[in-house]
Amino acid sequence: MRTARPRHYLMCRPTHFDVVYSINPWMDPAKPVDTQLAITQWEKLREVYLSLGHTVDTIDPLPGLPDMVFAANGATVIDGRALVARFRDAERIAEGPAYHDWLRDNGFPDLRTAHVVNEGEGDYLLAGEWLLAGTGFRSDPRSHDEAQEFFGRPVIGLTLVDPDYYHLDTALTVLDEQTIAYYPAAFSPGSLAVLRRLFPDAVIATAEDAAAFGLNATSDGHNVVLPHNATGLTEQLRARGFHPIGVDLSELLKAGGSVKCCTLELRTAAQSHDPA
Ligand code: ARG
């Protein structure tokens, strides 16, 4: 029997969403984007969270920042403390201060902007006591030390090797404190060996489910919200006693993002652990 724990999420409406530059292989500025459809799909995701009993705050979208919808990248928030992102790409740098100020003014005054490139929960995922940390494309490997010092939690560095899976949250999802799902081919041989050692019972995703961004999911411990066309993963989750909920975020995938990318978890001290 799996238990859901209510979550506190921060999201950003894709009011100014577009694909006008390319900083990952999914982004093709020549392909048309339907911003209205992106907004409709995003609203549906928000409604799913509210129907599950989660709290959803929103940050005001800023014009000229078409990727700001991907709130996961704005920070990592654990034990009520926020390590705010420092983006790699010039196109997204101004998002950092926007997330910083929102967090400072909305209950997270204990915060700091990362000194080296750190793309927040895009690359940092809390799994029980461990903070899993991606590098290879975006977050600087030195950001792993910085995060370990800041949070006082053991950071497990993982190297990504496939440019299609450029952030950790595109290749791995945390389902509960002990359970993760991941796509093995996205990781270096050493990092894959680490994952096998720490999570021998992990759910292993296929190439098809990874390409559908099935690993870009959120979980409350029971309900797993994921792209609806990750059908194999959906079945595996059901077999493990989770309750998968499929959503369609096809417009946002044109920028290389989906469910998790749109969702930043805000954890107070009490919300940083699941009850044993
Ligand atoms: N276009 C965005 C970028 O390349 C997508 C970010 C997706 N966010 C995530 N958490 N993986 O930065």
Side-chain angles (χ1 to χ4, degrees):
M1 200 39 213
R2 307 223 173 247
T3 348
R5 181 168 57 73
R7 307 289 162 138
H8 184 182
Y9 292 140
L10 178 62
M11 298 179 73
C12 180
R13 195 172 186 268
T15 311
H16 308 290
F17 177 67
D18 204 347
V19 177
V20 292
Y21 52 80
S22 180
I23 56 173
N24 71 56
W26 302 84
M27 302 176 84
D28 178 359
K31 260 200 213 156
V33 167
D34 183 341
T35 303
Q36 191 48 54
L37 179 57
I39 294 171
T40 306
Q41 293 177 336
W42 178 91
E43 289 287 358
K44 182 80 200 18
L45 175 63
R46 187 171 161 270
E47 281 160 23
V48 167
Y49 288 149
L50 294 174
S51 75
L52 292 172
H54 302 319
T55 302
V56 181
D57 283 329
T58 54
I59 178 174
D60 287 337
L62 296 174
L65 296 175
D67 273 335
M68 195 172 165
V69 58
F70 300 119
N73 296 129
T76 306
V77 185
I78 304 170
D79 298 324
R81 307 188 69 215
L83 186 56
V84 178
R86 179 176 297 279
F87 285 87
R88 183 196 68 170
D89 295 288
E91 293 90 342
R92 298 196 67 186
I93 281 179
E95 293 180 43
Y99 280 95
H100 176 280
D101 292 357
W102 189 93
L103 288 163
R104 183 198 56 204
D105 298 341
N106 290 276
F108 297 89
D110 186 0
L111 82 176
R112 197 188 79 203
T113 295
H115 294 314
V116 293
V117 170
N118 175 326
E119 297 202 349
E121 282 206 322
D123 276 324
Y124 282 88
L125 297 172
L126 186 65
E129 292 300 324
W130 291 315
L131 189 51
L132 307 181
T135 189
F137 297 100
R138 299 295 184 84
S139 298
D140 190 307
R142 290 170 299 166
S143 74
H144 297 177
D145 288 344
E146 185 180 9
Q148 179 160 293
E149 278 306 314
F150 185 80
F151 291 115
R153 285 172 178 261
V155 168
I156 309 288
L158 299 168
T159 301
L160 298 161
V161 294
D162 180 339
D164 279 350
Y165 305 105
Y166 56 92
H167 275 141
L168 183 63
D169 72 354
T170 66
L172 185 154
T173 187
V174 175
L175 299 165
D176 67 23
E177 298 225 330
Q178 294 86 31
T179 319
I180 66 167
Y182 65 93
Y183 175 50
F187 295 91
S188 71
S191 297
L192 186 53
V194 168
L195 289 174
R196 288 188 174 133
R197 192 178 293 273
L198 294 181
F199 302 98
D201 299 325
V203 175
I204 302 300
T206 63
E208 291 71 36
D209 288 330
F213 259 49
L215 294 162
N216 199 244
T218 55
S219 174
D220 63 12
H222 178 227
N223 303 290
V224 182
V225 185
L226 79 170
H228 68 117
N229 45 353
T231 50
L233 185 59
T234 298
E235 281 320 307
Q236 291 192 76
L237 293 173
R238 226 189 290 280
R240 295 284 196 108
F242 291 99
H243 178 234
I245 301 172
V247 294
D248 182 4
L249 290 178
S250 57
E251 276 318 288
L252 293 165
L253 190 54
K254 293 178 179 172
S258 192
V259 175
K260 172 58 202 170
C261 299
C262 292
T263 314
L264 174 62
E265 186 166 353
L266 305 177
R267 302 174 189 86
T268 61
Q271 289 164 331
S272 298
H273 292 277
D274 284 324

PDB file of all heavy atoms in Angstrom, residues 7 10 30 37 43 48-49 58-59 68 70 79 100-101 118 140 156 167-168 171 181 187 195 217 221 243:
ATOM      1  N   ARG A   7       1.736  17.851  -1.349  1.00  0.00           N
ATOM      2  CA  ARG A   7       2.930  18.603  -1.737  1.00  0.00           C
ATOM      3  C   ARG A   7       2.609  20.077  -1.903  1.00  0.00           C
ATOM      4  O   ARG A   7       1.459  20.458  -2.104  1.00  0.00           O
ATOM      5  CB  ARG A   7       3.477  18.068  -3.062  1.00  0.00           C
ATOM      6  CG  ARG A   7       3.725  16.570  -3.078  1.00  0.00           C
ATOM      7  CD  ARG A   7       4.918  16.194  -2.203  1.00  0.00           C
ATOM      8  NE  ARG A   7       4.906  14.777  -1.885  1.00  0.00           N
ATOM      9  CZ  ARG A   7       5.984  13.996  -1.884  1.00  0.00           C
ATOM     10  NH1 ARG A   7       7.161  14.485  -2.179  1.00  0.00           N
ATOM     11  NH2 ARG A   7       5.893  12.728  -1.551  1.00  0.00           N
ATOM     12  N   LEU A  10       5.388  25.069  -6.869  1.00  0.00           N
ATOM     13  CA  LEU A  10       5.405  26.378  -7.520  1.00  0.00           C
ATOM     14  C   LEU A  10       5.399  26.144  -9.037  1.00  0.00           C
ATOM     15  O   LEU A  10       6.168  25.329  -9.554  1.00  0.00           O
ATOM     16  CB  LEU A  10       6.659  27.175  -7.119  1.00  0.00           C
ATOM     17  CG  LEU A  10       6.800  28.552  -7.791  1.00  0.00           C
ATOM     18  CD1 LEU A  10       5.636  29.485  -7.423  1.00  0.00           C
ATOM     19  CD2 LEU A  10       8.128  29.213  -7.403  1.00  0.00           C
ATOM     20  N   ALA A  30      12.161  26.767 -35.828  1.00  0.00           N
ATOM     21  CA  ALA A  30      11.421  26.804 -37.100  1.00  0.00           C
ATOM     22  C   ALA A  30      10.041  26.163 -36.958  1.00  0.00           C
ATOM     23  O   ALA A  30       9.160  26.382 -37.796  1.00  0.00           O
ATOM     24  CB  ALA A  30      12.231  26.084 -38.181  1.00  0.00           C
ATOM     25  N   LEU A  37      -2.474  26.698 -26.703  1.00  0.00           N
ATOM     26  CA  LEU A  37      -2.586  25.268 -26.374  1.00  0.00           C
ATOM     27  C   LEU A  37      -1.661  24.915 -25.200  1.00  0.00           C
ATOM     28  O   LEU A  37      -2.042  24.143 -24.316  1.00  0.00           O
ATOM     29  CB  LEU A  37      -2.256  24.414 -27.604  1.00  0.00           C
ATOM     30  CG  LEU A  37      -2.310  22.890 -27.407  1.00  0.00           C
ATOM     31  CD1 LEU A  37      -3.677  22.431 -26.894  1.00  0.00           C
ATOM     32  CD2 LEU A  37      -1.954  22.162 -28.719  1.00  0.00           C
ATOM     33  N   GLU A  43      -2.747  24.392 -17.657  1.00  0.00           N
ATOM     34  CA  GLU A  43      -3.865  24.571 -16.710  1.00  0.00           C
ATOM     35  C   GLU A  43      -4.378  23.211 -16.246  1.00  0.00           C
ATOM     36  O   GLU A  43      -4.712  23.019 -15.081  1.00  0.00           O
ATOM     37  CB  GLU A  43      -5.032  25.350 -17.361  1.00  0.00           C
ATOM     38  CG  GLU A  43      -4.749  26.832 -17.617  1.00  0.00           C
ATOM     39  CD  GLU A  43      -4.724  27.685 -16.341  1.00  0.00           C
ATOM     40  OE1 GLU A  43      -4.964  27.150 -15.240  1.00  0.00           O
ATOM     41  OE2 GLU A  43      -4.434  28.892 -16.457  1.00  0.00           O
ATOM     42  N   VAL A  48      -4.898  18.981 -12.089  1.00  0.00           N
ATOM     43  CA  VAL A  48      -4.624  17.629 -11.578  1.00  0.00           C
ATOM     44  C   VAL A  48      -4.002  17.742 -10.184  1.00  0.00           C
ATOM     45  O   VAL A  48      -4.424  17.065  -9.243  1.00  0.00           O
ATOM     46  CB  VAL A  48      -3.707  16.837 -12.539  1.00  0.00           C
ATOM     47  CG1 VAL A  48      -3.165  15.572 -11.866  1.00  0.00           C
ATOM     48  CG2 VAL A  48      -4.456  16.469 -13.817  1.00  0.00           C
ATOM     49  N   TYR A  49      -3.014  18.614 -10.037  1.00  0.00           N
ATOM     50  CA  TYR A  49      -2.374  18.783  -8.719  1.00  0.00           C
ATOM     51  C   TYR A  49      -3.391  19.221  -7.664  1.00  0.00           C
ATOM     52  O   TYR A  49      -3.403  18.697  -6.548  1.00  0.00           O
ATOM     53  CB  TYR A  49      -1.247  19.812  -8.798  1.00  0.00           C
ATOM     54  CG  TYR A  49      -0.015  19.339  -9.528  1.00  0.00           C
ATOM     55  CD1 TYR A  49       0.779  20.240 -10.242  1.00  0.00           C
ATOM     56  CD2 TYR A  49       0.378  17.997  -9.497  1.00  0.00           C
ATOM     57  CE1 TYR A  49       1.920  19.823 -10.909  1.00  0.00           C
ATOM     58  CE2 TYR A  49       1.517  17.570 -10.164  1.00  0.00           C
ATOM     59  CZ  TYR A  49       2.286  18.482 -10.862  1.00  0.00           C
ATOM     60  OH  TYR A  49       3.413  18.068 -11.514  1.00  0.00           O
ATOM     61  N   THR A  58       1.805  30.177  -7.780  1.00  0.00           N
ATOM     62  CA  THR A  58       2.313  30.534  -9.109  1.00  0.00           C
ATOM     63  C   THR A  58       3.161  31.797  -9.014  1.00  0.00           C
ATOM     64  O   THR A  58       2.923  32.674  -8.181  1.00  0.00           O
ATOM     65  CB  THR A  58       1.168  30.765 -10.117  1.00  0.00           C
ATOM     66  OG1 THR A  58       0.267  31.723  -9.574  1.00  0.00           O
ATOM     67  CG2 THR A  58       0.426  29.472 -10.434  1.00  0.00           C
ATOM     68  N   ILE A  59       4.172  31.837  -9.851  1.00  0.00           N
ATOM     69  CA  ILE A  59       5.038  33.006  -9.985  1.00  0.00           C
ATOM     70  C   ILE A  59       4.630  33.702 -11.280  1.00  0.00           C
ATOM     71  O   ILE A  59       4.293  33.031 -12.266  1.00  0.00           O
ATOM     72  CB  ILE A  59       6.529  32.566  -9.991  1.00  0.00           C
ATOM     73  CG1 ILE A  59       7.474  33.751 -10.183  1.00  0.00           C
ATOM     74  CG2 ILE A  59       6.817  31.493 -11.034  1.00  0.00           C
ATOM     75  CD1 ILE A  59       8.974  33.372 -10.035  1.00  0.00           C
ATOM     76  N   MET A  68      10.414  30.309 -18.891  1.00  0.00           N
ATOM     77  CA  MET A  68      10.176  30.482 -17.444  1.00  0.00           C
ATOM     78  C   MET A  68       9.116  29.524 -16.911  1.00  0.00           C
ATOM     79  O   MET A  68       9.039  29.274 -15.706  1.00  0.00           O
ATOM     80  CB  MET A  68       9.798  31.934 -17.149  1.00  0.00           C
ATOM     81  CG  MET A  68       9.895  32.291 -15.687  1.00  0.00           C
ATOM     82  SD  MET A  68       9.660  34.047 -15.397  1.00  0.00           S
ATOM     83  CE  MET A  68       9.376  34.010 -13.619  1.00  0.00           C
ATOM     84  N   PHE A  70       9.242  26.535 -17.011  1.00  0.00           N
ATOM     85  CA  PHE A  70       9.922  25.364 -16.447  1.00  0.00           C
ATOM     86  C   PHE A  70      10.448  25.688 -15.052  1.00  0.00           C
ATOM     87  O   PHE A  70      11.649  25.850 -14.815  1.00  0.00           O
ATOM     88  CB  PHE A  70      11.012  24.882 -17.405  1.00  0.00           C
ATOM     89  CG  PHE A  70      10.437  24.505 -18.753  1.00  0.00           C
ATOM     90  CD1 PHE A  70      10.820  25.162 -19.916  1.00  0.00           C
ATOM     91  CD2 PHE A  70       9.476  23.503 -18.843  1.00  0.00           C
ATOM     92  CE1 PHE A  70      10.260  24.826 -21.153  1.00  0.00           C
ATOM     93  CE2 PHE A  70       8.911  23.154 -20.073  1.00  0.00           C
ATOM     94  CZ  PHE A  70       9.304  23.814 -21.228  1.00  0.00           C
ATOM     95  N   ASP A  79      14.114  21.491   3.352  1.00  0.00           N
ATOM     96  CA  ASP A  79      14.185  21.932   4.754  1.00  0.00           C
ATOM     97  C   ASP A  79      13.918  23.438   4.874  1.00  0.00           C
ATOM     98  O   ASP A  79      14.492  24.110   5.740  1.00  0.00           O
ATOM     99  CB  ASP A  79      15.572  21.618   5.357  1.00  0.00           C
ATOM    100  CG  ASP A  79      15.877  20.122   5.385  1.00  0.00           C
ATOM    101  OD1 ASP A  79      14.938  19.330   5.614  1.00  0.00           O
ATOM    102  OD2 ASP A  79      17.051  19.749   5.176  1.00  0.00           O
ATOM    103  N   HIS A 100      14.424  33.924  -7.251  1.00  0.00           N
ATOM    104  CA  HIS A 100      15.005  34.358  -5.977  1.00  0.00           C
ATOM    105  C   HIS A 100      14.037  35.273  -5.229  1.00  0.00           C
ATOM    106  O   HIS A 100      13.714  35.058  -4.062  1.00  0.00           O
ATOM    107  CB  HIS A 100      16.336  35.081  -6.243  1.00  0.00           C
ATOM    108  CG  HIS A 100      16.970  35.649  -5.006  1.00  0.00           C
ATOM    109  ND1 HIS A 100      16.558  36.838  -4.438  1.00  0.00           N
ATOM    110  CD2 HIS A 100      17.969  35.177  -4.219  1.00  0.00           C
ATOM    111  CE1 HIS A 100      17.275  37.073  -3.353  1.00  0.00           C
ATOM    112  NE2 HIS A 100      18.133  36.081  -3.192  1.00  0.00           N
ATOM    113  N   ASP A 101      13.547  36.286  -5.937  1.00  0.00           N
ATOM    114  CA  ASP A 101      12.709  37.277  -5.263  1.00  0.00           C
ATOM    115  C   ASP A 101      11.367  36.673  -4.856  1.00  0.00           C
ATOM    116  O   ASP A 101      10.832  36.981  -3.790  1.00  0.00           O
ATOM    117  CB  ASP A 101      12.516  38.511  -6.153  1.00  0.00           C
ATOM    118  CG  ASP A 101      13.834  39.276  -6.313  1.00  0.00           C
ATOM    119  OD1 ASP A 101      14.843  38.872  -5.686  1.00  0.00           O
ATOM    120  OD2 ASP A 101      13.857  40.262  -7.077  1.00  0.00           O
ATOM    121  N   ASN A 118      23.920  25.997 -11.824  1.00  0.00           N
ATOM    122  CA  ASN A 118      23.087  25.050 -11.069  1.00  0.00           C
ATOM    123  C   ASN A 118      21.665  25.286 -11.560  1.00  0.00           C
ATOM    124  O   ASN A 118      21.117  26.365 -11.351  1.00  0.00           O
ATOM    125  CB  ASN A 118      23.236  25.358  -9.575  1.00  0.00           C
ATOM    126  CG  ASN A 118      22.326  24.507  -8.701  1.00  0.00           C
ATOM    127  OD1 ASN A 118      21.212  24.154  -9.090  1.00  0.00           O
ATOM    128  ND2 ASN A 118      22.793  24.198  -7.508  1.00  0.00           N
ATOM    129  N   ASP A 140      27.024  22.623 -13.327  1.00  0.00           N
ATOM    130  CA  ASP A 140      28.475  22.428 -13.186  1.00  0.00           C
ATOM    131  C   ASP A 140      28.731  21.341 -12.132  1.00  0.00           C
ATOM    132  O   ASP A 140      28.072  21.342 -11.087  1.00  0.00           O
ATOM    133  CB  ASP A 140      29.051  23.782 -12.709  1.00  0.00           C
ATOM    134  CG  ASP A 140      30.564  23.821 -12.756  1.00  0.00           C
ATOM    135  OD1 ASP A 140      31.213  22.918 -12.179  1.00  0.00           O
ATOM    136  OD2 ASP A 140      31.094  24.778 -13.339  1.00  0.00           O
ATOM    137  N   ILE A 156      24.828  12.774  -4.466  1.00  0.00           N
ATOM    138  CA  ILE A 156      25.301  11.696  -5.325  1.00  0.00           C
ATOM    139  C   ILE A 156      25.397  12.264  -6.742  1.00  0.00           C
ATOM    140  O   ILE A 156      24.373  12.515  -7.383  1.00  0.00           O
ATOM    141  CB  ILE A 156      24.302  10.506  -5.320  1.00  0.00           C
ATOM    142  CG1 ILE A 156      23.945  10.069  -3.893  1.00  0.00           C
ATOM    143  CG2 ILE A 156      24.827   9.350  -6.181  1.00  0.00           C
ATOM    144  CD1 ILE A 156      25.034   9.355  -3.147  1.00  0.00           C
ATOM    145  N   HIS A 167      19.004  17.250 -18.676  1.00  0.00           N
ATOM    146  CA  HIS A 167      18.800  17.503 -17.246  1.00  0.00           C
ATOM    147  C   HIS A 167      18.494  16.162 -16.572  1.00  0.00           C
ATOM    148  O   HIS A 167      17.822  15.310 -17.174  1.00  0.00           O
ATOM    149  CB  HIS A 167      17.565  18.400 -17.003  1.00  0.00           C
ATOM    150  CG  HIS A 167      17.795  19.875 -17.101  1.00  0.00           C
ATOM    151  ND1 HIS A 167      16.870  20.724 -17.673  1.00  0.00           N
ATOM    152  CD2 HIS A 167      18.818  20.662 -16.672  1.00  0.00           C
ATOM    153  CE1 HIS A 167      17.316  21.972 -17.593  1.00  0.00           C
ATOM    154  NE2 HIS A 167      18.496  21.968 -16.988  1.00  0.00           N
ATOM    155  N   LEU A 168      18.890  16.029 -15.306  1.00  0.00           N
ATOM    156  CA  LEU A 168      18.627  14.772 -14.599  1.00  0.00           C
ATOM    157  C   LEU A 168      17.135  14.419 -14.610  1.00  0.00           C
ATOM    158  O   LEU A 168      16.780  13.245 -14.747  1.00  0.00           O
ATOM    159  CB  LEU A 168      19.144  14.871 -13.148  1.00  0.00           C
ATOM    160  CG  LEU A 168      19.008  13.596 -12.307  1.00  0.00           C
ATOM    161  CD1 LEU A 168      19.838  12.455 -12.895  1.00  0.00           C
ATOM    162  CD2 LEU A 168      19.421  13.871 -10.859  1.00  0.00           C
ATOM    163  N   ALA A 171      15.710  12.074 -17.239  1.00  0.00           N
ATOM    164  CA  ALA A 171      16.205  10.695 -17.321  1.00  0.00           C
ATOM    165  C   ALA A 171      15.934   9.887 -16.063  1.00  0.00           C
ATOM    166  O   ALA A 171      16.185   8.682 -16.045  1.00  0.00           O
ATOM    167  CB  ALA A 171      17.707  10.701 -17.592  1.00  0.00           C
ATOM    168  N   ALA A 181      12.754   5.673 -10.866  1.00  0.00           N
ATOM    169  CA  ALA A 181      12.705   5.097 -12.210  1.00  0.00           C
ATOM    170  C   ALA A 181      13.727   5.862 -13.034  1.00  0.00           C
ATOM    171  O   ALA A 181      13.907   7.069 -12.834  1.00  0.00           O
ATOM    172  CB  ALA A 181      11.306   5.257 -12.814  1.00  0.00           C
ATOM    173  N   PHE A 187      22.992   7.623 -18.789  1.00  0.00           N
ATOM    174  CA  PHE A 187      24.035   7.815 -17.780  1.00  0.00           C
ATOM    175  C   PHE A 187      25.378   7.227 -18.213  1.00  0.00           C
ATOM    176  O   PHE A 187      25.425   6.237 -18.953  1.00  0.00           O
ATOM    177  CB  PHE A 187      23.589   7.180 -16.462  1.00  0.00           C
ATOM    178  CG  PHE A 187      22.388   7.857 -15.866  1.00  0.00           C
ATOM    179  CD1 PHE A 187      21.100   7.421 -16.168  1.00  0.00           C
ATOM    180  CD2 PHE A 187      22.530   8.968 -15.041  1.00  0.00           C
ATOM    181  CE1 PHE A 187      19.979   8.075 -15.651  1.00  0.00           C
ATOM    182  CE2 PHE A 187      21.422   9.621 -14.518  1.00  0.00           C
ATOM    183  CZ  PHE A 187      20.147   9.175 -14.825  1.00  0.00           C
ATOM    184  N   LEU A 195      23.808   3.972  -9.641  1.00  0.00           N
ATOM    185  CA  LEU A 195      22.341   3.843  -9.543  1.00  0.00           C
ATOM    186  C   LEU A 195      21.950   2.399  -9.242  1.00  0.00           C
ATOM    187  O   LEU A 195      21.058   2.141  -8.422  1.00  0.00           O
ATOM    188  CB  LEU A 195      21.671   4.320 -10.833  1.00  0.00           C
ATOM    189  CG  LEU A 195      21.709   5.834 -11.066  1.00  0.00           C
ATOM    190  CD1 LEU A 195      21.155   6.175 -12.453  1.00  0.00           C
ATOM    191  CD2 LEU A 195      20.913   6.573  -9.991  1.00  0.00           C
ATOM    192  N   ALA A 217       8.407  13.192 -14.535  1.00  0.00           N
ATOM    193  CA  ALA A 217       7.169  12.965 -13.792  1.00  0.00           C
ATOM    194  C   ALA A 217       7.275  13.531 -12.386  1.00  0.00           C
ATOM    195  O   ALA A 217       8.369  13.810 -11.895  1.00  0.00           O
ATOM    196  CB  ALA A 217       6.903  11.465 -13.721  1.00  0.00           C
ATOM    197  N   GLY A 221       4.181  10.013  -3.801  1.00  0.00           N
ATOM    198  CA  GLY A 221       4.349   8.780  -3.040  1.00  0.00           C
ATOM    199  C   GLY A 221       3.354   7.712  -3.483  1.00  0.00           C
ATOM    200  O   GLY A 221       3.580   6.517  -3.285  1.00  0.00           O
ATOM    201  N   HIS A 243      -0.242   4.963  -8.618  1.00  0.00           N
ATOM    202  CA  HIS A 243      -1.424   5.353  -9.377  1.00  0.00           C
ATOM    203  C   HIS A 243      -1.010   6.370 -10.438  1.00  0.00           C
ATOM    204  O   HIS A 243      -0.900   7.567 -10.142  1.00  0.00           O
ATOM    205  CB  HIS A 243      -2.480   5.953  -8.432  1.00  0.00           C
ATOM    206  CG  HIS A 243      -3.701   6.429  -9.143  1.00  0.00           C
ATOM    207  ND1 HIS A 243      -4.195   7.707  -9.017  1.00  0.00           N
ATOM    208  CD2 HIS A 243      -4.520   5.796 -10.024  1.00  0.00           C
ATOM    209  CE1 HIS A 243      -5.272   7.838  -9.783  1.00  0.00           C
ATOM    210  NE2 HIS A 243      -5.485   6.693 -10.398  1.00  0.00           N
TER     211      HIS A 243
END
